[in-house]
Amino acid sequence: MSATTSIDTLTKETQEEKESLNLFYSTQTVIQKALAKLGYNNEMFELLKEPIRLLTVRIPVRMDDGSVKIFTGYRSQHNDSVGPTKGGVRFHPEVNEEEVKALSIWMSLKCGITNLPYGGGKGGIMCDPKQMSFRELERLSRGYVRAISQVVGPTKDIPAPDVYTNSQIMAWMMDEYSRLREFDSPGFITGKPLVLGGSQGRETATARGVTICIDEAVKKKGIELKGARVVIQGFGNAGSYLAKFLHDAGAKIVGVSDVYGGIHDPNGLDIDYLLDRRDSFGTFSKLFDNTISNQELLELDCDILVPAAISNQITAKNAHNIKASIVVEAANGPTTLEATHILTDRGILLVPDILASAGGVTVSYFEWVQNNQGYYWSEQEVEEKLCKVMVNSFDNIYQTAQSHKVDMRLAAYMVGIKKVAEASQFRGWV
Ligand code: GLU
């Protein structure tokens, strides 16, 4: 190989990896492939490759020390041909326009996969909630709703929790919207506390959905869940409840981590002890001396690996070292496209994020239906309905992957985008 070739190859690989790490770019790439597989022309891709609406807002907040701080927030609506847009609001220092746009497209895909009557939406505020007081968070949440109130509403765009937002924040947002509209509007937002029209099972819905996907995946791989060794990266809402559910089902949780690092015990960790010690941001590993890094955690010997933290964790660099035979993405975007191909080629069953984490929005839909009808379901009813949706969605995507000979991510995109494309076509937009 000549010196020029090797430099060219290196540049190309670096470029590919760079593109693969960009969530928005990689989302568009897979959408284009999925639409082509489904036989749609380029006009459909032109419509669906970007959100139809993106609002940027600046939110002034009076801080506890008397100063005013201006926060930047977004609300992105990908496509509303199927119905109102739907999706969470995240509070995070790294929130940015591209990420919010990509995440709103993913919400369209999640709603398509689960057959919910929604298009995708997503919001975010660039802030560090860990550095803010309770009252500062309240003022920020209310300010955000005032800033976006023109484009959201129970039949327009319905927000929900996401990274570092919770039922208290949903309650403030619902209250602010109700005051602005001068009537009680529980259906404006989901993920509310039960007493304000929240749904049974919403808090645990994402983890339940992931558990159902794991149940289906182990069947396909011929593995017994009882005794299976599981590693979970991330101990927030999804990761911690998931650890509990899998532990209760007899699986052995051999590694977990939070933002500071992970802990590992090949004989199985004491999950109840860890749950007791986690704070509301899902952090605990500072308690332990013998911590391992998040990267080491991903490469631990195990049967099932669940990245439930942040994006771009499994990349071309470490995909060859993953030992699990099943990877279930509970976080949004934890595996790059290149890594997806590496894992698939290695025979690892990858359950993609837009399927695995769709339990949250599914129970959000149930919450919205209950708010609209003013009649509430039991936890058991919610769980049975969720189970039906998740099992059907998993089967549909698994069959699509088999029949089209594509990886599970592309299959999920095909199933997810089909409904949006069909609805846009029937409306005469394309
Ligand atoms: N934020 C969650 C997600 O990304 C839930 C969205 C919702 O409940 O609308 O799926």
Side-chain angles (χ1 to χ4, degrees), residues 86-88 107 110 122 158 160-162 190 202 332 357 360-361 364:
K86 177 93 193 78
M107 288 312 300
K110 287 189 201 186
K122 197 73 157 206
I158 305 130
D162 200 82
T190 58
R202 176 61 186 87
N332 286 315
S357 70
V361 69
S364 272

Side-chain angles (χ1 to χ4, degrees), residues 314-384:
I314 307 178
T315 66
K317 289 198 185 79
N318 61 359
H320 287 288
N321 304 334
I322 302 295
K323 317 270 185 321
S325 53
I326 298 172
V327 174
V328 182
E329 298 180 327
N332 286 315
T335 315
T336 65
L337 288 189
E338 275 192 286
T340 301
H341 300 144
I342 297 170
L343 296 182
T344 309
D345 289 346
R346 290 183 55 212
I348 295 172
L349 175 56
L350 176 81
V351 184
D353 45 11
I354 52 173
L355 166 62
S357 70
V361 69
T362 304
V363 178
S364 272
Y365 164 60
F366 298 158
E367 179 173 333
W368 181 76
V369 169
Q370 293 170 81
N371 294 151
N372 289 345
Q373 67 185 5
Y375 177 72
Y376 289 82
W377 306 334
S378 68
E379 188 165 1
Q380 198 190 340
E381 276 175 282
V382 171
E383 279 185 12
E384 280 168 12

